[in-house]
Short mmCIF file of all heavy atoms in Angstrom, two decimals:
data_model
loop_
_atom_site.label_atom_id
_atom_site.label_comp_id
_atom_site.label_asym_id
_atom_site.label_seq_id
_atom_site.Cartn_x
_atom_site.Cartn_y
_atom_site.Cartn_z
N PHE L 442 -2.67 -35.96 25.99
CA PHE L 442 -1.98 -36.23 24.72
C PHE L 442 -0.57 -35.68 24.82
O PHE L 442 -0.30 -34.77 25.62
CB PHE L 442 -2.73 -35.61 23.55
CG PHE L 442 -3.16 -34.18 23.74
CD1 PHE L 442 -2.25 -33.12 23.65
CD2 PHE L 442 -4.48 -33.86 24.04
CE1 PHE L 442 -2.63 -31.81 23.83
CE2 PHE L 442 -4.88 -32.54 24.23
CZ PHE L 442 -3.96 -31.52 24.13
N PRO L 443 0.36 -36.22 24.04
CA PRO L 443 1.75 -35.77 24.12
C PRO L 443 1.96 -34.39 23.50
O PRO L 443 1.25 -33.98 22.59
CB PRO L 443 2.51 -36.83 23.33
CG PRO L 443 1.51 -37.42 22.39
CD PRO L 443 0.19 -37.36 23.10
N ILE L 444 2.95 -33.68 24.02
CA ILE L 444 3.35 -32.38 23.49
C ILE L 444 4.83 -32.49 23.12
O ILE L 444 5.68 -32.75 23.98
CB ILE L 444 3.14 -31.26 24.50
CG1 ILE L 444 1.67 -31.19 24.91
CG2 ILE L 444 3.58 -29.91 23.91
CD1 ILE L 444 1.42 -30.29 26.11
N LEU L 445 5.13 -32.32 21.84
CA LEU L 445 6.50 -32.46 21.33
C LEU L 445 7.04 -31.10 20.90
O LEU L 445 6.28 -30.20 20.53
CB LEU L 445 6.54 -33.42 20.15
CG LEU L 445 5.91 -34.82 20.36
CD1 LEU L 445 6.05 -35.66 19.10
CD2 LEU L 445 6.55 -35.53 21.55
N HIS L 446 8.36 -30.95 20.93
CA HIS L 446 9.02 -29.72 20.49
C HIS L 446 9.73 -29.96 19.16
O HIS L 446 10.29 -31.03 18.93
CB HIS L 446 10.06 -29.26 21.52
CG HIS L 446 9.47 -28.61 22.71
ND1 HIS L 446 9.51 -27.25 22.92
CD2 HIS L 446 8.81 -29.13 23.78
CE1 HIS L 446 8.92 -26.95 24.07
NE2 HIS L 446 8.48 -28.08 24.61
N ALA L 447 9.70 -28.96 18.28
CA ALA L 447 10.43 -29.03 17.02
C ALA L 447 11.13 -27.70 16.78
O ALA L 447 10.58 -26.64 17.09
CB ALA L 447 9.48 -29.35 15.87
N ASP L 448 12.33 -27.76 16.21
CA ASP L 448 13.09 -26.53 15.95
C ASP L 448 12.99 -26.07 14.51
O ASP L 448 13.61 -25.07 14.13
CB ASP L 448 14.55 -26.70 16.36
CG ASP L 448 15.24 -27.86 15.64
OD1 ASP L 448 14.62 -28.45 14.73
OD2 ASP L 448 16.38 -28.19 16.01
N SER L 449 12.20 -26.79 13.69
CA SER L 449 11.98 -26.38 12.31
C SER L 449 10.63 -26.90 11.86
O SER L 449 10.07 -27.82 12.48
CB SER L 449 13.08 -26.92 11.39
OG SER L 449 12.96 -28.34 11.26
N MET L 450 10.11 -26.35 10.77
CA MET L 450 8.83 -26.83 10.26
C MET L 450 8.94 -28.25 9.75
O MET L 450 8.02 -29.06 9.95
CB MET L 450 8.31 -25.90 9.16
CG MET L 450 6.93 -26.27 8.64
SD MET L 450 5.65 -26.17 9.93
CE MET L 450 5.43 -24.39 10.00
N GLN L 451 10.05 -28.58 9.10
CA GLN L 451 10.22 -29.94 8.58
C GLN L 451 10.21 -30.95 9.72
O GLN L 451 9.57 -32.00 9.63
CB GLN L 451 11.50 -30.07 7.77
CG GLN L 451 11.65 -31.43 7.10
CD GLN L 451 12.72 -31.44 6.04
OE1 GLN L 451 13.51 -30.52 5.93
NE2 GLN L 451 12.76 -32.49 5.23
N SER L 452 10.91 -30.62 10.82
CA SER L 452 10.90 -31.49 11.99
C SER L 452 9.50 -31.59 12.59
O SER L 452 9.06 -32.67 13.01
CB SER L 452 11.89 -30.96 13.02
OG SER L 452 11.79 -31.69 14.23
N ALA L 453 8.79 -30.48 12.63
CA ALA L 453 7.43 -30.48 13.18
C ALA L 453 6.51 -31.39 12.39
O ALA L 453 5.71 -32.14 12.96
CB ALA L 453 6.88 -29.05 13.21
N VAL L 454 6.58 -31.32 11.06
CA VAL L 454 5.74 -32.16 10.21
C VAL L 454 6.09 -33.63 10.42
O VAL L 454 5.21 -34.50 10.54
CB VAL L 454 5.89 -31.76 8.73
CG1 VAL L 454 5.27 -32.80 7.80
CG2 VAL L 454 5.26 -30.39 8.49
N GLY L 455 7.38 -33.95 10.49
CA GLY L 455 7.79 -35.33 10.72
C GLY L 455 7.32 -35.86 12.06
O GLY L 455 6.83 -36.99 12.15
N GLN L 456 7.46 -35.06 13.12
CA GLN L 456 7.02 -35.49 14.45
C GLN L 456 5.50 -35.64 14.51
O GLN L 456 4.97 -36.56 15.15
CB GLN L 456 7.50 -34.50 15.50
CG GLN L 456 9.01 -34.50 15.71
CD GLN L 456 9.42 -33.75 16.95
OE1 GLN L 456 9.05 -34.11 18.07
NE2 GLN L 456 10.19 -32.69 16.77
N ALA L 457 4.79 -34.73 13.86
CA ALA L 457 3.33 -34.82 13.83
C ALA L 457 2.90 -36.10 13.13
O ALA L 457 1.99 -36.81 13.58
CB ALA L 457 2.75 -33.60 13.12
N MET L 458 3.56 -36.43 12.02
CA MET L 458 3.24 -37.64 11.27
C MET L 458 3.44 -38.88 12.14
O MET L 458 2.65 -39.83 12.07
CB MET L 458 4.13 -37.70 10.01
CG MET L 458 3.86 -38.90 9.13
SD MET L 458 2.29 -38.73 8.25
CE MET L 458 2.36 -40.20 7.22
N SER L 459 4.45 -38.85 12.98
CA SER L 459 4.75 -40.02 13.83
C SER L 459 3.66 -40.27 14.86
O SER L 459 3.56 -41.39 15.39
CB SER L 459 6.09 -39.82 14.53
OG SER L 459 6.00 -38.83 15.55
N LEU L 460 2.84 -39.27 15.16
CA LEU L 460 1.77 -39.42 16.15
C LEU L 460 0.45 -39.88 15.51
O LEU L 460 -0.51 -40.18 16.22
CB LEU L 460 1.53 -38.10 16.88
CG LEU L 460 2.69 -37.57 17.74
CD1 LEU L 460 2.36 -36.17 18.25
CD2 LEU L 460 2.97 -38.51 18.90
N CYS L 461 0.39 -39.90 14.18
CA CYS L 461 -0.88 -40.12 13.48
C CYS L 461 -1.11 -41.58 13.11
O CYS L 461 -0.17 -42.37 12.96
CB CYS L 461 -0.93 -39.29 12.19
SG CYS L 461 -1.10 -37.52 12.47
N GLN L 462 -2.38 -41.89 12.92
CA GLN L 462 -2.82 -43.14 12.31
C GLN L 462 -3.48 -42.80 10.98
O GLN L 462 -3.86 -41.65 10.73
CB GLN L 462 -3.83 -43.85 13.21
CG GLN L 462 -3.34 -44.13 14.62
CD GLN L 462 -4.43 -44.66 15.52
OE1 GLN L 462 -5.47 -45.13 15.06
NE2 GLN L 462 -4.20 -44.59 16.83
N SER L 463 -3.62 -43.80 10.11
CA SER L 463 -4.30 -43.57 8.84
C SER L 463 -5.72 -43.05 9.10
O SER L 463 -6.43 -43.58 9.96
CB SER L 463 -4.36 -44.86 8.03
OG SER L 463 -5.01 -44.64 6.80
N GLY L 464 -6.10 -42.01 8.39
CA GLY L 464 -7.41 -41.39 8.60
C GLY L 464 -7.35 -40.15 9.47
O GLY L 464 -8.34 -39.43 9.60
N ASP L 465 -6.18 -39.88 10.08
CA ASP L 465 -6.01 -38.70 10.92
C ASP L 465 -5.63 -37.49 10.07
O ASP L 465 -5.48 -37.58 8.85
CB ASP L 465 -4.92 -38.94 11.97
CG ASP L 465 -5.32 -39.96 13.02
OD1 ASP L 465 -6.49 -40.39 13.01
OD2 ASP L 465 -4.46 -40.34 13.84
N ALA L 466 -5.45 -36.37 10.74
CA ALA L 466 -5.06 -35.14 10.08
C ALA L 466 -3.98 -34.43 10.88
O ALA L 466 -3.94 -34.51 12.11
CB ALA L 466 -6.25 -34.20 9.90
N VAL L 467 -3.10 -33.73 10.17
CA VAL L 467 -2.14 -32.81 10.77
C VAL L 467 -2.57 -31.40 10.36
O VAL L 467 -2.76 -31.13 9.17
CB VAL L 467 -0.70 -33.08 10.31
CG1 VAL L 467 0.24 -31.98 10.80
CG2 VAL L 467 -0.24 -34.44 10.79
N VAL L 468 -2.76 -30.53 11.34
CA VAL L 468 -3.24 -29.18 11.08
C VAL L 468 -2.20 -28.15 11.53
O VAL L 468 -1.82 -28.13 12.71
CB VAL L 468 -4.57 -28.91 11.82
CG1 VAL L 468 -5.04 -27.48 11.56
CG2 VAL L 468 -5.64 -29.91 11.39
N LEU L 469 -1.71 -27.35 10.60
CA LEU L 469 -0.89 -26.20 10.96
C LEU L 469 -1.83 -25.03 11.24
O LEU L 469 -2.43 -24.48 10.34
CB LEU L 469 0.06 -25.83 9.81
CG LEU L 469 0.79 -24.48 9.98
CD1 LEU L 469 1.77 -24.52 11.14
CD2 LEU L 469 1.49 -24.06 8.69
N SER L 470 -1.98 -24.70 12.52
CA SER L 470 -2.83 -23.58 12.92
C SER L 470 -2.15 -22.93 14.12
O SER L 470 -2.39 -23.30 15.27
CB SER L 470 -4.25 -24.07 13.27
OG SER L 470 -5.15 -23.00 13.33
N PRO L 471 -1.25 -21.97 13.89
CA PRO L 471 -0.22 -21.62 14.87
C PRO L 471 -0.67 -20.85 16.10
O PRO L 471 0.04 -20.86 17.10
CB PRO L 471 0.76 -20.78 14.04
CG PRO L 471 0.45 -21.11 12.61
CD PRO L 471 -1.02 -21.36 12.58
N ALA L 472 -1.77 -20.09 16.02
CA ALA L 472 -2.23 -19.25 17.13
C ALA L 472 -1.23 -18.15 17.48
O ALA L 472 -1.33 -17.53 18.54
CB ALA L 472 -2.52 -20.10 18.38
N CYS L 473 -0.29 -17.89 16.58
CA CYS L 473 0.76 -16.90 16.81
C CYS L 473 1.13 -16.26 15.48
O CYS L 473 0.84 -16.80 14.41
CB CYS L 473 2.03 -17.56 17.38
SG CYS L 473 1.83 -18.37 18.98
N SER L 474 1.81 -15.12 15.55
CA SER L 474 2.35 -14.54 14.32
C SER L 474 3.59 -15.33 13.90
O SER L 474 4.12 -16.14 14.64
CB SER L 474 2.68 -13.06 14.52
OG SER L 474 3.73 -12.91 15.44
N SER L 475 4.05 -15.06 12.68
CA SER L 475 5.08 -15.90 12.06
C SER L 475 6.49 -15.32 12.13
O SER L 475 7.44 -15.98 11.73
CB SER L 475 4.71 -16.10 10.58
OG SER L 475 4.59 -14.84 9.95
N PHE L 476 6.62 -14.10 12.65
CA PHE L 476 7.83 -13.33 12.37
C PHE L 476 9.07 -13.81 13.10
O PHE L 476 10.16 -13.28 12.87
CB PHE L 476 7.58 -11.85 12.67
CG PHE L 476 6.42 -11.29 11.89
CD1 PHE L 476 5.34 -10.72 12.53
CD2 PHE L 476 6.41 -11.38 10.50
CE1 PHE L 476 4.27 -10.22 11.80
CE2 PHE L 476 5.35 -10.88 9.77
CZ PHE L 476 4.27 -10.30 10.43
N ASP L 477 8.96 -14.78 14.01
CA ASP L 477 10.17 -15.30 14.65
C ASP L 477 10.93 -16.25 13.74
O ASP L 477 12.15 -16.36 13.82
CB ASP L 477 9.82 -15.99 15.98
CG ASP L 477 8.81 -17.12 15.80
OD1 ASP L 477 8.06 -17.11 14.80
OD2 ASP L 477 8.76 -18.01 16.67
N MET L 478 10.21 -16.94 12.83
CA MET L 478 10.84 -17.96 11.98
C MET L 478 10.62 -17.72 10.48
O MET L 478 11.36 -18.26 9.66
CB MET L 478 10.31 -19.35 12.34
CG MET L 478 10.63 -19.81 13.74
SD MET L 478 9.79 -21.36 14.20
CE MET L 478 10.57 -22.55 13.09
N PHE L 479 9.60 -16.92 10.13
CA PHE L 479 9.20 -16.78 8.73
C PHE L 479 8.94 -15.32 8.39
O PHE L 479 8.74 -14.49 9.27
CB PHE L 479 7.95 -17.61 8.45
CG PHE L 479 8.07 -19.05 8.89
CD1 PHE L 479 7.53 -19.47 10.09
CD2 PHE L 479 8.75 -19.97 8.10
CE1 PHE L 479 7.66 -20.78 10.51
CE2 PHE L 479 8.88 -21.29 8.51
CZ PHE L 479 8.33 -21.69 9.72
N ARG L 480 8.90 -15.01 7.07
CA ARG L 480 8.62 -13.64 6.65
C ARG L 480 7.20 -13.23 6.98
O ARG L 480 6.92 -12.11 7.40
CB ARG L 480 8.83 -13.50 5.13
CG ARG L 480 10.28 -13.58 4.69
CD ARG L 480 10.42 -13.19 3.23
NE ARG L 480 9.60 -13.99 2.35
CZ ARG L 480 9.97 -15.16 1.82
NH1 ARG L 480 11.16 -15.66 2.13
NH2 ARG L 480 9.17 -15.84 1.01
N ASP L 481 6.25 -14.17 6.77
CA ASP L 481 4.84 -13.90 7.02
C ASP L 481 4.09 -15.23 7.02
O ASP L 481 4.71 -16.30 6.89
CB ASP L 481 4.25 -12.95 5.96
CG ASP L 481 4.55 -13.40 4.54
OD1 ASP L 481 4.63 -14.63 4.29
OD2 ASP L 481 4.69 -12.53 3.66
N TYR L 482 2.77 -15.20 7.18
CA TYR L 482 2.01 -16.45 7.26
C TYR L 482 2.08 -17.25 5.96
O TYR L 482 2.03 -18.48 5.97
CB TYR L 482 0.55 -16.16 7.64
CG TYR L 482 -0.25 -15.44 6.59
CD1 TYR L 482 -0.84 -16.14 5.54
CD2 TYR L 482 -0.42 -14.06 6.63
CE1 TYR L 482 -1.57 -15.48 4.56
CE2 TYR L 482 -1.15 -13.40 5.66
CZ TYR L 482 -1.71 -14.11 4.63
OH TYR L 482 -2.42 -13.48 3.65
N ALA L 483 2.20 -16.55 4.80
CA ALA L 483 2.27 -17.25 3.52
C ALA L 483 3.60 -18.01 3.39
O ALA L 483 3.63 -19.14 2.88
CB ALA L 483 2.10 -16.27 2.37
#
Side-chain angles (χ1 to χ4, degrees):
F442 47 76
I444 302 169
L445 306 181
H446 283 255
D448 57 8
S449 69
M450 184 62 76
Q451 186 166 12
S452 173
V454 168
Q456 291 193 62
M458 181 72 175
S459 71
L460 295 173
C461 289
Q462 304 173 17
S463 180
D465 291 354
V467 172
V468 179
L469 170 67
S470 195
C473 299
S474 66
S475 57
F476 303 122
D477 57 337
M478 296 172 66
F479 308 99
R480 290 190 304 273
D481 51 32
Y482 68 83

